[in-house]
Amino acid sequence: MMPPNATIAKTTCCIIGGGPAGIMLGFLLARSGIEVAVLEKHNDFFRDFRGDTIHPSTLELMYELGLLDKLLAIRHSELRRASICVGDQIVTMADLSHLPTHAKFVALMPQWDFLNFLASEAYQFPSFKLRMGWEATGLMHHNGATTGVIANTPNGAVEIPATLTVGCDGRHPTSREAAHLPLIEEGVPIDVLWFRLSRSPDDPENGLGYVNYGHFLVLINRLDYFQIAFLIPKNGFEKMQQQGLESFQQSIAQVVPFLANRVAEIDSWDKVKLLTVQVNRLSQWSSPGLLCIGDAAHAMSPVGGIGINIALQDAVATANLLTEALQSNSLTPHHLQHVQQYRERAVHNTQRFQVFAHGVLNRVLNNPAPVKLPLSLRILTSIPGFKYLTARFIGMGLQPEHIKTRPA
Ligand SMILES: Cc1cc2nc3c(=O)[nH]c(=O)nc-3n(C[C@H](O)[C@H](O)[C@H](O)COP(=O)(O)OP(=O)(O)OC[C@H]3O[C@@H](n4cnc5c(N)ncnc54)[C@H](O)[C@@H]3O)c2cc1C
């Protein structure tokens, strides 16, 4: 058993957080022979409601790494078009069939399957260490620079000295708080309730948003069941609970009539999870010895289902920009600032789109009347190229990255 406050061997890069950003970065650095320790506070990846979308640009990264076929051998469904049902009319918002990628679809796969897959591939590199059940509680400092991580482990507290610490610890990060990095918050008028309902083989396959009677639902096809997002006004969950479970069930059935025969599966509020939506970003992603990426640097809203993709692209860009300096032990604060300069614009513009969409959704949630497809949306979706532009934005993001590092 390790004594409290033991110091373990120095690593080149200590990554806090084993989400998409952390595991991808750990994988890529270890692939280039760099010593990496990824700390994940949970003992497994088996947590629901973390987003299940693996976008064409991420699938393209898997192709570049020679892992695409192996990944797609895992049970998943494929979203090739994203549509929205307004009232009783369906319009296609995005058609991914023409994307310049090998996989022209979003793979819908539980995030734990994706993370387990990537971690198991990373284990083949001797310099990759994944520490499950290790929670970062603070940072080590020397002369104003971060010099490693303090963590609670199942065997007590340890210090992990590191040349570079990367905060990939999501929306409530220890890393950025310990480093006092300045945060800019965007107001968000919505929250999301998540639950699942069983799926029949003859139910719609493609991604569908449903709008009516002041409600907005998104159904994600997970083959045997639908993972369902139900948008509510910010802080509106308590009021909803007071109105009762039956009223909630009726709202679902009213907007998506084919679910009426199974809404009774939600027989307790315990089956409904509230996820608070945040949109924020650091004005400074790094300080000497520390870099934040993914949601730790810029929490993304679920709108567009693009947060995982952005976190993964951040990780790829970080590996591309820092590998050489880490290999030659010549890392400077300038290298870390470069990651922000390189990624920030694409991330910020994506958040601008999400904030705009929140405004539209907020108007939907405040209009309890039956809705009809607005003429503007009808015209917009009939413009040639519209569905391909939206597909490009959703499927590839504003700045898709490519693997530029080499295996050791
Ligand atoms: C309701 C909701 C639904 C969403 N749905 C989607 C979707 O469908 N598609 C999509 O692309 N995006 C979605 N997003 C956004 C997406 O979840 C995030 O943008 C994405 O997960 C960010 O990845 P990340 O690796 O930066 O952080 P995270 O995925 O949050 O991973 C952070 C990891 O760090 C660990 N951690 C935290 N603190 C510590 C610590 N102190 N020590 C050690 N480990 C720690 C956590 O346990 C976690 O595993 C959704 C977001 C919300 C709120």
Side-chain angles (χ1 to χ4, degrees), residues 12 16 29 43 50 60 73 79 99 112 114 118 128 134 190 214 225 261 267 283 286 293 330 358 361 405 408:
T12 305
I16 307 174
L29 295 182
N43 289 319
R50 298 182 54 170
E60 194 65 8
L79 184 135
L99 288 180
W112 58 81
F114 177 62
L118 210 50
F128 179 80
W134 286 35
I190 56 162
Y225 62 92
N261 60 0
D267 51 9
S283 55
S286 66
I293 61 169
S330 59
H358 289 163
L361 291 169
T405 52

Side-chain angles (χ1 to χ4, degrees), residues 119-191:
S120 65
E121 289 297 320
Y123 274 124
Q124 68 178 292
F125 309 123
S127 61
F128 179 80
K129 309 268 179 319
L130 175 58
R131 309 290 192 193
M132 299 302 283
W134 286 35
E135 178 169 12
T137 54
L139 300 174
M140 296 165 64
H141 295 286
H142 184 68
N143 286 342
T146 299
T147 53
V149 178
I150 304 163
N152 275 336
T153 79
N155 297 322
V158 295
E159 290 184 335
I160 309 144
T163 307
L164 171 66
T165 299
V166 184
C168 297
D169 38 353
R171 301 185 307 146
H172 306 287
T174 302
S175 56
R176 78 172 178 217
E177 267 157 38
H180 306 292
L181 294 175
L183 186 70
I184 302 165
E185 282 282 357
E186 299 278 0
V188 176
I190 56 162
D191 280 331

Side-chain angles (χ1 to χ4, degrees), residues 189-190 303-304 351-363:
I190 56 162
V303 166
Q351 286 186 328
R352 281 194 176 117
F353 158 77
Q354 293 189 319
V355 169
F356 168 77
H358 289 163
V360 177
L361 291 169
N362 195 32
R363 282 203 293 282

Side-chain angles (χ1 to χ4, degrees), residues 187-241:
V188 176
I190 56 162
D191 280 331
V192 180
L193 302 180
W194 283 98
F195 53 91
R196 50 172 80 172
L197 287 177
S198 55
R199 182 177 174 275
S200 315
D202 49 350
D203 287 337
E205 268 187 35
N206 273 302
L208 212 48
Y210 290 85
V211 186
N212 216 344
Y213 305 106
H215 299 298
F216 190 108
L217 279 79
V218 179
L219 272 59
I220 298 172
N221 174 1
R222 269 193 178 178
L223 300 171
D224 310 325
Y225 62 92
F226 285 115
Q227 186 72 50
I228 301 179
F230 187 109
L231 271 58
I232 57 168
K234 192 104 203 140
N235 304 322
F237 190 36
E238 213 177 299
K239 186 172 161 204
M240 206 154 202
Q241 285 174 303

Side-chain angles (χ1 to χ4, degrees), residues 16-22 39-42 47 49-53 55 111 134-137 168-174 192 194 220 275-277 293-296 300-302 305-309 311:
I16 307 174
L39 316 185
E40 169 51 50
K41 67 179 176 184
H42 292 99
R47 272 153 290 129
F49 316 121
R50 298 182 54 170
D52 293 342
T53 49
H55 288 246
Q111 197 181 115
W134 286 35
E135 178 169 12
T137 54
C168 297
D169 38 353
R171 301 185 307 146
H172 306 287
T174 302
V192 180
W194 283 98
I220 298 172
L275 281 164
T276 307
V277 179
I293 61 169
D295 269 21
M300 306 302 289
S301 153
I306 39 191
I308 296 168
N309 196 43

